[in-house]
Amino acid sequence: EYDNMMEFTFATIDGASGYQSQNIGGAIIKGLEISLAGQSKIFSLPLNWIGGYTYIDPKYKDFNSQLQESSSYWIDLDIPGNIAGVQDANEPSENFLKYRSKHNFKMDVETGYQGFRAGVSVRQTSHMLAIDRQLGLFAQISQYREFNNQGYRVWDARISYERYGAKLSFLLNNFLNEEYTVRPGLLEAPRNYAVRLDYKF
């Protein structure tokens, strides 16, 4: 629970528009977090895994018409398989802090044999439900969010070999080539490859 919470907010002051840290009043952010980690074997190979899930329900304590007007909130109860964590239709659906996702999930699995190691990871985030209404007017951000409203799931993979203090790694990021944004209006990197060499002196 926060009193006099400060957040970056889109504002226009003296004809200039941009983000400014402003007082948004009180806020209550309820939620839970679950983390799991373990070790096992598959075909006699060691298997290490770690994962976690986070759920939040962030709301303004004193939600009013001014806050409602400043927020562009996305909600659709009819989309099958929706992972956006949509609120019940009887609740005041617009009362949701901006630039947040209700659901976040991460998992990483790795195995190895002698000097070789291989791993895969996934992160899934539900749709960002609310942003500043003014921001949605720029560069067709609102239209993009309308058609990309299921959140995103990104898979990464890696393989490495280590010997004599040197480690050579091949990294394959976003290998399913997911199109997604973490911040509205900024597309993240498509599928990309990297080769990395580490050496311990």
Side-chain angles (χ1 to χ4, degrees):
E1 183 172 355
Y2 297 86
D3 293 317
N4 299 318
M5 186 173 180
M6 301 293 292
E7 285 207 329
F8 281 101
T9 303
F10 193 88
T12 299
I13 300 175
D14 296 331
S17 297
Y19 275 86
Q20 184 184 64
S21 184
Q22 294 186 351
N23 190 306
I24 64 167
I28 297 177
I29 303 177
K30 300 177 182 178
L32 61 88
E33 184 176 81
I34 300 172
S35 298
L36 295 173
Q39 295 180 327
S40 56
K41 287 188 177 182
I42 180 171
F43 304 115
S44 300
L45 295 176
L47 190 68
N48 302 319
W49 51 271
I50 184 170
Y53 166 74
T54 303
Y55 166 82
I56 61 170
D57 185 23
K59 296 182 181 295
Y60 298 96
K61 289 174 66 175
D62 301 309
F63 191 63
N64 53 48
S65 59
Q66 182 179 357
L67 289 171
Q68 186 174 15
E69 284 297 320
S70 71
S71 177
S72 176
Y73 186 91
W74 179 92
I75 183 170
D76 192 337
L77 295 172
D78 299 323
I79 294 179
N82 177 30
I83 62 168
V86 177
Q87 294 165 300
D88 185 270
N90 295 320
E91 294 182 7
S93 58
E94 295 85 0
N95 186 2
F96 196 88
L97 290 179
K98 303 169 190 174
Y99 304 105
R100 289 170 172 82
S101 300
K102 276 196 171 185
H103 305 275
N104 287 276
F105 171 79
K106 293 181 180 181
M107 175 65 73
D108 187 285
V109 180
E110 184 180 78
T111 187
Y113 179 73
Q114 296 184 354
F116 289 95
R117 302 199 71 81
V120 63
S121 65
V122 60
R123 61 188 186 277
Q124 179 169 334
T125 300
S126 64
H127 185 61
M128 183 180 291
L129 293 178
I131 67 171
D132 281 294
R133 188 179 300 275
Q134 298 95 324
L135 181 63
L137 302 177
F138 289 98
Q140 297 184 322
I141 289 177
S142 290
Q143 291 90 331
Y144 180 88
R145 283 169 48 78
E146 181 180 352
F147 289 100
N148 297 271
N149 52 29
Q150 295 294 294
Y152 60 87
R153 182 185 298 123
V154 180
W155 291 85
D156 301 323
R158 62 192 183 274
I159 187 170
S160 66
Y161 179 71
E162 186 171 3
R163 191 171 183 182
Y164 303 128
K167 180 180 179 181
L168 181 65
S169 305
F170 176 72
L171 310 174
L172 176 56
N173 299 315
N174 191 11
F175 63 76
L176 294 183
N177 207 28
E178 178 84 355
E179 180 183 306
Y180 70 104
T181 62
V182 175
R183 295 187 304 173
L186 178 63
L187 283 176
E188 297 299 317
R191 180 188 300 119
N192 60 92
Y193 314 88
V195 177
R196 175 176 170 176
L197 178 63
D198 297 276
Y199 185 77
K200 295 179 181 179
F201 293 94

